[in-house]
Amino acid sequence: MPAEAKTAAKAAQPPVRAAQPVTPPLTERQEARRRRILHASAQLASRGGFDAVQMREVAESSQVALGTLYRYFPSKVHLLVATMQDQLAHMHGTLRKKPPSGDTAAERVAETLMRAFRALQREPHLADAMVRALTFADRSVSPEVDQVSRQTTVIILDAMGLDDPTPAQLSAVRVIEHTWHSALITWLSGRASIAQVKIDIETVCRLIDLTSPHQTDPAPPSKRRGERRSP
């Protein structure tokens, strides 16, 4: 992970919850089991959306006991939010193989998010299931929701190519994340076209250039007026 992604991921992390137990790292066998569960979840959601993801069917498809599945993911919402994080991580790997080509950070981020959006567009049932899960998530799903947010932040910062993002730039990233998520919801509900989503994403990404520490401040009005009077 690039230095800027590490910096922002750390800065974007929410405060540590004292009551939350530390989860030990998964063994290779446990990680493989988790991968099967997430794959089964994505497959079921791709075919029938949110309602098609039933925990018993996920367990059967991933060849794990139902009790084991619930130890990994206490509910369908936990599972689908984790599935979204996994899908974003996969997209990130694909995006890094072919980085965006825009001249400015704003252009690169807009291109990156639209490429991610179109990847979700190819699987509308899956996208709808994951977004619905995010919408339904309560405090118990906070760790999984935080992972989705961190993954999105890393994707954006990779596109920006910054070594050390400022607090203002990180704030802009959060606004961009919110807009991207909102645009996804409005498109899934049929209230926005792809063209409108693209306009909204490009518009909000201009915050990146506006918050750049190298942005040149415009001359004061008095100075500009004086310049116009000069022969």
Side-chain angles (χ1 to χ4, degrees), residues 6 17 23 27 38 51 60 64 66 76 83 94 98 100 137-138 184 191 201 205 208 213-214 220 229 231:
K6 291 181 180 178
R17 298 173 178 85
T23 304
T27 65
L38 293 173
D51 293 335
E60 291 175 359
V64 302
L66 185 59
K76 179 166 76 171
T83 301
T94 301
K98 187 180 179 182
D138 57 21
L184 187 56
R191 293 182 288 119
I201 294 300
C205 283
I208 294 172
H214 304 298
R229 288 195 300 268

Side-chain angles (χ1 to χ4, degrees), residues 148-191:
V148 169
S149 179
R150 280 193 287 267
Q151 185 67 60
T152 309
T153 297
V154 169
I155 289 173
I156 293 173
L157 288 172
D158 265 6
M160 290 170 69
L162 295 179
D163 293 327
D164 188 17
T166 66
Q169 287 170 323
L170 290 177
S171 180
V173 168
R174 286 192 293 272
V175 175
I176 291 167
E177 288 179 26
H178 297 327
T179 302
W180 184 74
H181 181 240
S182 177
L184 187 56
I185 291 174
T186 54
W187 173 75
L188 286 168
S189 64
R191 293 182 288 119

Side-chain angles (χ1 to χ4, degrees), residues 15 28 37 51 69 96 109-110 123 142-143 146 158 160 172:
E28 184 175 341
I37 292 171
D51 293 335
L69 172 59
R96 294 183 71 178
V109 172
E123 297 282 358
S142 291
D146 291 343
D158 265 6
M160 290 170 69

Side-chain angles (χ1 to χ4, degrees), residues 4-103:
E4 67 275 8
K6 291 181 180 178
T7 302
K10 182 177 179 181
Q13 288 177 359
V16 177
R17 298 173 178 85
Q20 219 174 38
V22 177
T23 304
L26 298 179
T27 65
E28 184 175 341
R29 184 175 179 180
Q30 289 171 329
E31 181 60 35
R33 185 181 298 128
R34 185 177 186 276
R35 298 293 312 165
R36 292 202 308 273
I37 292 171
L38 293 173
H39 178 73
S41 170
Q43 290 290 99
L44 289 169
S46 294
R47 291 197 291 267
F50 185 86
D51 293 335
V53 181
Q54 300 298 321
M55 297 297 272
R56 188 172 296 278
E57 290 189 39
V58 173
E60 291 175 359
S61 182
S62 58
Q63 299 181 325
V64 302
L66 185 59
T68 301
L69 172 59
Y70 277 107
R71 285 199 295 273
Y72 280 82
F73 303 102
S75 73
K76 179 166 76 171
V77 170
H78 286 80
L79 173 57
L80 282 170
V81 174
T83 301
M84 185 166 193
Q85 190 277 330
D86 186 63
Q87 293 291 311
L88 288 172
H90 177 72
M91 288 181 201
H92 188 202
T94 301
L95 290 165
R96 294 183 71 178
K97 291 177 182 177
K98 187 180 179 182
S101 57
D103 293 330

